[in-house]
Amino acid sequence: MAGIVEFQKVGLRYGRGAETLSDLDFVLERGSFHLLTGPSGAGKSSLLSLITLARRPSRGLIRLFGEDVVTIDRARLPAFRRRIGIVYQDFRLIPSISVFENVALPLRIVGAHPNEIDASVTELLAWVGLDARARALPSMLSGGEQQRVAIARAVVTRPDLIVADEPTGNVDPEMAGRIFHLLESLNRLGTTVLIATHDIHLIGRAPQAAMMRLNRGTLDDPTGALRHPPARQAPYP
Ligand SMILES: Nc1ncnc2c1ncn2[C@@H]1O[C@H](COP(=O)(O)OP(=O)(O)OP(=O)(O)O)[C@@H](O)[C@H]1O
């Protein structure tokens, strides 16, 4: 089965200091569900930034969807980025447009039909409990509400890969459960999901998820799933 993400001997160094990430070797198989944990400062966001093509590694090979994205012509990177739904830790909503338009934006970029945009955005905003706030600007929302908008935006195009950095960091346990359920449902439909989280409740909800643990920039593999990746995750209870 093809790897959606493959890292070989990847290292990342900011400036002239020691490496923040070292010798990362792993494969995320198509349709897998991974949780990335580790103490604050271990390098989780840095690792996600390599996968989402926000940064290039200092060394090593990264393949996304089977292609080497380190040496690739930069002009081709947007096509890869469009296949990835990203939930940023700091949301990164566009402040000058409405909640609806923030979620609609990825669909507008790919030229989706207006009817499809209306239907998809409306459905997702209802799913995250924000249908009544569709016309609001992001600044009028609480942190947790903004996080839900960011999640709706990340999944609206049904991307091949979803990368979420602390997607439940600002919401209550009930909403965290809904968000997790949404990501699980997308995973069952074949989307590969990688979630970086400190949320022990979230980790407890996903006993079958493959765990990746970063420790000072190197990766532990407590479930062995990186060396022997499951072809497909077992269904969640
Ligand atoms: N742009 C940057 N320039 C220089 N150093 C950076 C940069 N981004 C992150 N770092 C450093 O890299 C290390 C790892 O940071 P990173 O944000 O990846 O960790 P993290 O595991 O996501 O932490 P947290 O759980 O607190 O979000 C930290 O020491 C951080 O200071």
Side-chain angles (χ1 to χ4, degrees), residues 123-140:
E123 183 192 351
L124 267 174
L125 285 178
W127 182 276
V128 296
L130 288 175
D131 33 344
R133 310 305 308 275
R135 301 290 153 206
L137 290 175
S139 60
M140 298 160 70

Side-chain angles (χ1 to χ4, degrees), residues 106-126:
L107 289 173
R108 297 210 191 280
I109 288 170
V110 297
H113 191 277
N115 291 348
E116 185 202 334
I117 294 175
D118 272 355
S120 299
V121 176
T122 303
E123 183 192 351
L124 267 174
L125 285 178

Side-chain angles (χ1 to χ4, degrees), residues 33-56:
F33 193 108
H34 286 77
L35 292 179
L36 173 63
T37 65
S40 184
K44 300 180 296 298
S45 300
S46 300
L47 170 51
L48 299 190
S49 74
L50 294 177
I51 295 176
T52 59
L53 305 174
R55 285 181 204 292
R56 289 192 173 203

Side-chain angles (χ1 to χ4, degrees), residues 8 10 23 42 51 65 73 77 100 102 127 136 160 174 177 182-183 188 215:
Q8 286 178 25
V10 170
D23 291 330
I51 295 176
F65 312 115
D73 181 352
L77 290 180
F100 186 98
N102 265 278
W127 182 276
D160 295 316
E174 191 196 329
L182 173 65
L183 295 173
R188 283 205 201 92
N215 216 339

Side-chain angles (χ1 to χ4, degrees), residues 11 28-29 68 180 184 186 210:
L28 305 186
E29 297 289 327
D68 175 349
F180 189 69
E184 260 181 2
L186 293 167

Side-chain angles (χ1 to χ4, degrees), residues 133-150:
R133 310 305 308 275
R135 301 290 153 206
L137 290 175
S139 60
M140 298 160 70
L141 271 51
S142 72
E145 289 170 334
Q146 290 182 39
Q147 185 156 46
R148 282 139 65 189
V149 177

Side-chain angles (χ1 to χ4, degrees), residues 202-214:
L202 197 68
I203 295 167
R205 278 175 198 273
Q208 293 96 333
M211 301 294 296
M212 301 164 71
R213 195 162 52 213
L214 261 179

